[in-house]
Amino acid sequence: MRRPDQQTTTRPAPEATLGNGTGPAGPDAAPGAGPAAQPGDPGTGPDTPPAGARSAGPGEPSGPPAATGTPAARPGSGGTGTAGTGTAGAGFTGEPTAEGALAPYLRGQAAEFLRSLRLHHEYSAPADAGGHGAAEAARALRRAARRIGGSLHTFRAALDPHWADQLRGELAWLTGILAREHAYANRLARLVDALHLLSGPTLPAARGARAAGEAAGADAQGRAALGVGAARAAALLERRLTLARTRSHSAALQALGSSRFHAIADAVALLASEVPAPSGHAGRAAAASLLEPAELAEQRLLTAVAALPPDDTGPYNEAQDAAWHQARLLLRLHRYAHEVVLGGADPGLTAPGHALDLHRDAVEAAGAAAAAARTPRIAPATAYALGVLHADQRHGVESARAAFRETWPYATALAAP
């Protein structure tokens, strides 16, 4: 899937000659690729499937080779020269180290965590409770916590392992608690909007077309039957998801006032000033370079994408959702590693990351519709509307998968080994 001499997307460009041999590569080289920003996730933390990574020499674009045997061009790359380091990563003069790259990154994210926490406390005052500012502060708090936890996971060998594992687990608990309320609210809005569209008026049929008229009549009858149960289905979903959101809100408030959270805040406050280093010769050697763990995170992502099921397996394949969720988590880990090593994320993976976010949302919405349909003693019309809604969300899952395949920059990584 990757040639031994190909450069990875997380390796800074060395001071080498261009691919055509005309001169040294400067800061104007094409930027490297990296994954996109992603919104809040109610998950509990990153997963780590085993995989290896390979480095590459200069003068070649990164990524798996194309089907013809030539390296696949990456988004934002001119096709020649060395892979760039990004806007913030152009300042690296050698291999990034824990002291030179990881520690400043963790301190910056810790400062952002504390800043978001202060804003959340301010916006959560009784006069501003439930406002837009509190939600934005909570999202910023989750973003900082995810970046810290993901970096602790990827670069564990460059840090004190016991400290890294403990803090990462606590941050995973915190992000999971804080994300649920936001997830339930978005899920309810998505399902209610989908019900409104599914039960809305039909478009007028073309004049003089008998077949079109018959199809329009059948569609109108189906929508009429759907409209009978759509209102009740929406009310049922609103009761269920609003109750879940209320419970999640109470759990989040309880968590933010617990001694466990205060211990996390204290640990992050210490992280803002000092990053614990590994002890012993082996630990210092592991902290000398961050390239190996960053490339390992990238290789895990490419392996997970290559193992994704093909798109011709048919609809309603809920058993395959887990593989796509895993790819999304690994894309996030790769993005955080890219930010540490190269100083910023490449917009080349923005669209694939967004497609995986939509996939996650559609899967969870379909699950909520299916769970509501299993409510005892509901009317047949309500069950019918929920069944149509579930099918609609599963079609959204398939659309998100197709969008990911269309925008994923490494075409050869989509073929299962």
Side-chain angles (χ1 to χ4, degrees), residues 270-302:
L270 292 176
L271 178 62
S273 59
E274 180 182 0
V275 178
S279 59
H281 177 74
R284 288 190 296 271
S289 175
L290 304 179
L291 291 181
E292 183 176 352
E295 291 173 351
L296 180 60
E298 179 191 44
Q299 188 60 39
R300 285 169 175 165
L301 169 64
L302 296 177

Side-chain angles (χ1 to χ4, degrees), residues 282-371:
R284 288 190 296 271
S289 175
L290 304 179
L291 291 181
E292 183 176 352
E295 291 173 351
L296 180 60
E298 179 191 44
Q299 188 60 39
R300 285 169 175 165
L301 169 64
L302 296 177
T303 302
V305 172
L308 288 176
D311 56 0
D312 57 353
T313 55
Y316 306 107
N317 47 356
E318 290 91 342
Q320 299 175 357
D321 293 340
W324 289 87
H325 294 329
Q326 178 74 356
R328 177 178 173 274
L329 292 175
L330 293 175
L331 180 62
R332 170 177 292 171
L333 285 178
H334 169 60
R335 167 187 153 213
Y336 297 157
H338 195 283
E339 290 178 354
V340 171
V341 174
L342 296 183
D346 181 356
L349 294 181
T350 299
H354 180 63
L356 290 179
D357 286 340
L358 293 178
H359 178 272
R360 188 253 342 244
D361 294 342
V363 167
E364 293 179 347

Side-chain angles (χ1 to χ4, degrees), residues 52 86 93 109 185 239 344 364 379:
T93 57
Q109 295 302 323
R239 287 196 303 270
E364 293 179 347

Side-chain angles (χ1 to χ4, degrees), residues 2-414:
R2 180 186 293 277
R3 298 192 312 182
D5 59 342
Q6 278 191 279
Q7 183 169 342
T8 62
T9 61
T10 49
R11 178 176 290 275
E15 295 295 330
T17 58
L18 294 173
N20 54 14
T22 58
D28 294 331
Q38 299 179 349
D41 177 25
T44 58
D47 295 324
T48 56
R54 295 180 179 176
S55 60
E60 295 187 21
S62 63
T68 59
T70 59
R74 297 172 49 237
S77 173
T80 60
T82 59
T85 61
T87 56
F92 285 117
T93 57
E95 291 192 352
T97 62
E99 183 62 28
L102 180 59
Y105 180 84
L106 289 177
R107 287 195 293 265
Q109 295 302 323
E112 179 63 25
F113 180 96
L114 298 175
R115 186 182 307 111
S116 302
L117 180 59
R118 177 179 56 82
L119 292 176
H120 187 271
H121 285 327
E122 293 178 358
Y123 287 123
S124 297
D128 301 327
H132 181 70
E136 288 295 331
R139 280 192 287 270
L141 186 66
R142 294 199 310 271
R143 283 196 298 267
R146 287 198 308 268
R147 279 171 168 79
I148 295 173
S151 300
L152 295 179
H153 172 82
T154 301
F155 303 106
R156 177 180 181 271
L159 303 164
D160 182 349
H162 176 73
W163 168 83
D165 292 341
Q166 184 177 11
L167 181 56
R168 179 171 64 91
E170 293 299 288
L171 290 173
W173 166 79
L174 177 62
T175 54
I177 289 291
L178 296 180
R180 289 182 190 134
E181 178 183 2
H182 176 73
Y184 283 126
N186 287 351
R187 201 171 305 159
L188 176 60
R190 178 188 181 99
L191 291 173
V192 171
D193 290 344
L195 275 175
H196 176 73
L197 293 175
L198 290 171
S199 60
T202 59
L203 295 176
R207 184 175 300 176
R210 178 181 179 86
E214 293 177 353
D219 183 68
Q221 292 178 358
R223 291 200 180 233
L226 177 61
V228 174
R232 292 183 178 180
L236 176 61
L237 288 170
E238 185 171 1
R239 287 196 303 270
R240 292 173 59 92
L241 295 178
T242 300
L243 177 60
R245 180 186 180 185
T246 302
R247 291 175 175 172
S248 299
H249 180 73
S250 300
L253 292 179
Q254 185 178 2
L256 292 175
S258 65
S259 59
R260 184 177 182 180
F261 171 76
H262 288 297
I264 296 174
D266 292 341
V268 174
L270 292 176
L271 178 62
S273 59
E274 180 182 0
V275 178
S279 59
H281 177 74
R284 288 190 296 271
S289 175
L290 304 179
L291 291 181
E292 183 176 352
E295 291 173 351
L296 180 60
E298 179 191 44
Q299 188 60 39
R300 285 169 175 165
L301 169 64
L302 296 177
T303 302
V305 172
L308 288 176
D311 56 0
D312 57 353
T313 55
Y316 306 107
N317 47 356
E318 290 91 342
Q320 299 175 357
D321 293 340
W324 289 87
H325 294 329
Q326 178 74 356
R328 177 178 173 274
L329 292 175
L330 293 175
L331 180 62
R332 170 177 292 171
L333 285 178
H334 169 60
R335 167 187 153 213
Y336 297 157
H338 195 283
E339 290 178 354
V340 171
V341 174
L342 296 183
D346 181 356
L349 294 181
T350 299
H354 180 63
L356 290 179
D357 286 340
L358 293 178
H359 178 272
R360 188 253 342 244
D361 294 342
V363 167
E364 293 179 347
R374 291 191 293 267
T375 302
R377 297 183 300 275
I378 60 174
T382 306
Y384 172 74
L386 290 172
V388 173
L389 180 61
H390 174 266
D392 175 72
Q393 295 304 305
R394 290 306 305 181
H395 285 308
V397 171
E398 299 299 326
S399 298
R401 293 178 181 179
F404 174 82
R405 296 180 186 279
E406 291 174 358
T407 56
W408 180 247
Y410 306 114
T412 55
L414 291 177

